[in-house]
């Protein structure tokens, strides 16, 4: 089998779940004469859902450098248009290698989800030629999710300005991305936040700046930052533990915790590329045995998409202190 | 078929790569001052010690009849090499990177600009004179050469203190050298 033939699916023997695997994965559960066949079909749908989500992610979050973006967009479109190509290990190896090269060259700029996406594409490439594709891909997803959350938890415990609540307090006072939450739940006025950002700009003048500048804050911001700190450590540690431990009877807890993390965290921290990637991997790790879980992942995927709407002004008008 | 023998290896290799990169990241954070946000160690949203809170300034000094005049300017953005060196220095503040950056900025000519594109001034107001590297963005007006005597590069870290809420800035690295005569 040549690489090109495999890439364009001419000689691929993989089953084709159709153009819209997300919907095919959500079809009603008609009784099957053969339960093994039904399970196999659901596993195929789970794989296709996850691959489609990942291709969408590759096309949407490709780095802006033309020499990385162009090949990644081309590969993603080929994969989305031709279901057989979507199941080609070589297509995914190409996507993964391009991402690794880009992350290596721009290592001091690349966001962490770009690294995770490269690992995930490598995992897909390796798994698609395994004897048991579904099991290998699900294991990869589980291990990558466990590792990511374990490291995220480690850094939050290791960093003194996170564990003492300073990170969230600073973020609520200064970061424009958190302005709506600061106003809505922290009762800090927009003017106070603008004044804090002006203070930060002053310090960015270098040695000419004053040695110390006070920021405007509220008691609610202080309490809110303590709560957000505790919640973040608890939820990230829980997701990590859930994906690390062999939860036989309560395996659903993994999906519940991951979805809870995504729904709550990305409502506040709008890094939607990371959210989509976690959901694509979560959907794969959940496997094809539970159709409701797959539907739940797709529903959360859609819900998270609505986070990009400009909710900030609405929340600020509700929570703005008089 | 990709030359990897067993399903077990295929199911562990990506996680092993993740762990290896994370170990390198941990080392670089502790040994080289890399910001936990970058480098593939998943330390995002864990600290305000991010690249955006590391302030890089180029400082020119010259003697005048009333004492020493100091001009602190933003990092020059003329070339890709300058931009990349500045970003690398802010991400991983090592002495080697500082020296390399100093070498690049010391080769530039600097001038005092009366009108600069990048300045926002109220209509009718007299624009504030600004020192910029010659040929950089926003330098379309005629400059007055600035015969500075010494050049410094400063990298500062902005820190947040919770009780009471305040910001401060402290020096991470700096280097200074007299002007190289041509």
């Amino acid at each position: 089998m040549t690489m090109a033939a495999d890439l364009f699916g001419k000689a691929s023997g993989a089953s084709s779940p159709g153009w819209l695997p997300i919907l095919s994965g959500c079809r009603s559960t008609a009784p099957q004469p053969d339960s093994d066949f039904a399970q196999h079909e659901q596993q195929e749908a789970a794989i296709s859902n996850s691959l489609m989500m990942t291709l969408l992610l590759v096309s949407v979050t490709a780095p802006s450098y033309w020499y990385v973006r162009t090949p990644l967009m081309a590969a993603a479109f080929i994969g989305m248009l031709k279901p057989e190509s979507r199941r080609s290990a070589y297509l995914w190896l190409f996507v993964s290698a391009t991402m690794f090269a880009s992350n290596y060259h721009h290592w001091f700029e690349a966001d962490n989800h770009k690294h995770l996406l490269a690992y995930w594409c490598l995992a897909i490439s390796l798994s698609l030629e395994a004897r048991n594709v579904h099991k290998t891909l699900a294991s990869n997803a589980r291990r990558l999710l466990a590792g990511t959350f374990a490291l995220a938890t480690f850094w939050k415990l290791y960093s003194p300005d996170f564990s003492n609540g300073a990170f969230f307090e600073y973020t609520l006072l200064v970061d424009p991305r958190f302005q709506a939450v600061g106003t809505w739940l922290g009762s800090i006025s927009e003017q106070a936040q603008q004044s804090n950002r002006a203070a930060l700009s002053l310090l960015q003048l270098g040695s000419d700046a004053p040695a110390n500048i006070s920021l405007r804050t509220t008691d609610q911001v202080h309490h809110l930052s303590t709560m957000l700190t505790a919640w973040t450590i608890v939820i990230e540690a829980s997701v990590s533990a859930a994906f690390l431990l062999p939860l036989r009877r309560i395996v659903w807890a993994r999906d519940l915790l991951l979805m809870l993390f995504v729904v709550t965290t990305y409502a506040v921290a709008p890094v939607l590329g990371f959210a989509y990637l976690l959901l694509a991997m979560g959907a794969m790790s959940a496997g094809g045995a539970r159709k409701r879980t797959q539907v739940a992942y797709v529903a959360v995927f859609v819900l998270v998409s609505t986070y990009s709407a400009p909710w900030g002004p609405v929340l600020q008008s509700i929570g703005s202190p008089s | 078929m990709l030359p990897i023998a067993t399903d077990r290896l295929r199911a562990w290799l990506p996680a092993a790569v993740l762990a290896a990169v994370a170990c390198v990241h941990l080392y670089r954070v502790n040994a080289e001052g890399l910001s936990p946000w970058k480098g593939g160690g998943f330390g995002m949203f864990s600290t305000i010690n991010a690249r955006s809170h590391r302030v890089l300034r180029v400082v020119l000094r010259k003697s005048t009849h009333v004492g020493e005049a100091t001009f602190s300017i933003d990092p020059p953005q003329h070339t890709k090499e300058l931009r990349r060196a500045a970003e690398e220095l802010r991400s991983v503040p090592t002495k080697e990177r500082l020296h390399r950056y100093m070498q690049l900025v010391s080769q530039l000519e600097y001038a005092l600009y009366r009108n600069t594109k990048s300045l926002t001034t109220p209509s009718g107001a007299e624009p504030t004179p600004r020192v910029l590297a010659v040929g950089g963005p926003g330098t379309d007006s005629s400059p007055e050469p600035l015969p500075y005597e010494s050049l410094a590069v400063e990298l500062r870290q902005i820190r947040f203190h919770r009780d009471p809420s305040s910001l401060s800035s402290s020096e991470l690295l700096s280097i200074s050298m007299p002007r190289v005569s041509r």
Side-chain angles (χ1 to χ4, degrees), chain A residues 79-97:
Chain A
M80 281 189 268
L81 292 171
K82 291 187 72 78
E84 299 87 350
S85 304
R86 196 155 60 231
R87 299 294 292 258
S88 161
Y90 291 105
L91 180 105
W92 289 99
L93 186 63
F94 173 75
V95 171
S96 166

Side-chain angles (χ1 to χ4, degrees), chain A residues 121-142:
Chain A
C121 291
L122 174 66
I124 293 173
S125 172
L126 293 171
S127 303
L128 285 176
E129 293 205 344
R131 284 174 192 84
N132 187 334
V133 175
H134 180 266
K135 190 179 167 192
T136 312
L137 200 48
S139 299
N140 266 311
R142 203 167 61 246

Side-chain angles (χ1 to χ4, degrees), chain B residues 159-180:
Chain B
R159 297 178 204 280
F160 173 71
H161 313 278
R162 202 178 183 206
D163 291 312
S165 293
S166 62
L167 291 172
S168 69
S169 158
S170 57
E171 189 176 286
L172 272 183
L173 285 174
S174 73
I175 187 172
S176 170
M177 63 181 275
R179 186 181 190 184
V180 182

Side-chain angles (χ1 to χ4, degrees), chain A residues 67 89-90 93 100 105-113 115-116 119 122-123 125-127 129-132 136 139-140 143-144 147-148 151-152 154-156 158-159 161-162 164-167 169-170 173-174 177-178 196 199-200 203-208 211-215 217 222-223 225-226 269 271 274, chain B residues 1-2 4-15 17-19 21-22 25-26 28-30 32 34 36-49 51-53 55-57 59 61 70-72 74 80 83-84 87-88 91-92 97 154 156 158-169:
Chain A
Y67 48 89
Y90 291 105
L93 186 63
F100 272 107
H105 187 63
H106 302 282
W107 63 270
F108 57 89
E109 295 181 307
D111 290 327
N112 285 294
H113 63 275
H115 290 278
L116 186 58
Y119 305 145
L122 174 66
S125 172
L126 293 171
S127 303
E129 293 205 344
R131 284 174 192 84
N132 187 334
T136 312
S139 299
N140 266 311
R143 285 179 187 130
L144 288 175
T148 300
L151 286 166
F154 165 78
W155 280 108
K156 285 175 178 72
Y158 184 71
S159 165
D161 61 353
F162 188 91
N164 70 8
F167 172 78
E169 182 152 346
Y170 168 82
L173 295 179
V174 177
R177 295 175 300 176
F178 288 73
N196 291 338
L200 176 63
L203 279 183
Q204 285 167 339
L205 292 175
S207 53
D208 296 341
N212 199 296
I213 302 177
S214 295
L215 296 182
T217 187
H222 198 76
H223 298 317
S225 57
T226 305
V271 193
F274 215 142
Chain B
M1 186 174 233
L2 299 173
I4 299 213
T6 65
D7 280 14
R8 179 174 278 243
L9 194 55
R10 288 168 189 274
W12 276 104
L13 189 61
V17 177
L18 179 145
V21 172
H25 174 258
L26 180 61
R28 296 188 87 160
V29 169
N30 286 300
E32 300 180 344
L34 170 66
W37 282 71
K38 299 291 176 184
F42 298 96
M44 62 282 167
F45 290 98
S46 67
T47 171
I48 72 159
N49 180 13
R51 196 177 49 175
S52 56
H53 291 87
V55 181
L56 183 62
R57 304 289 289 178
V59 182
R61 293 191 177 91
T70 304
F71 304 92
S72 173
D74 291 330
K80 196 176 165 186
R83 288 194 295 273
R84 188 177 168 99
E87 291 309 298
E88 268 196 47
S91 299
V92 194
R97 286 187 175 84
E154 293 178 355
R156 301 181 72 82
I158 294 176
R159 297 178 204 280
F160 173 71
H161 313 278
R162 202 178 183 206
D163 291 312
S165 293
S166 62
L167 291 172
S168 69
S169 158

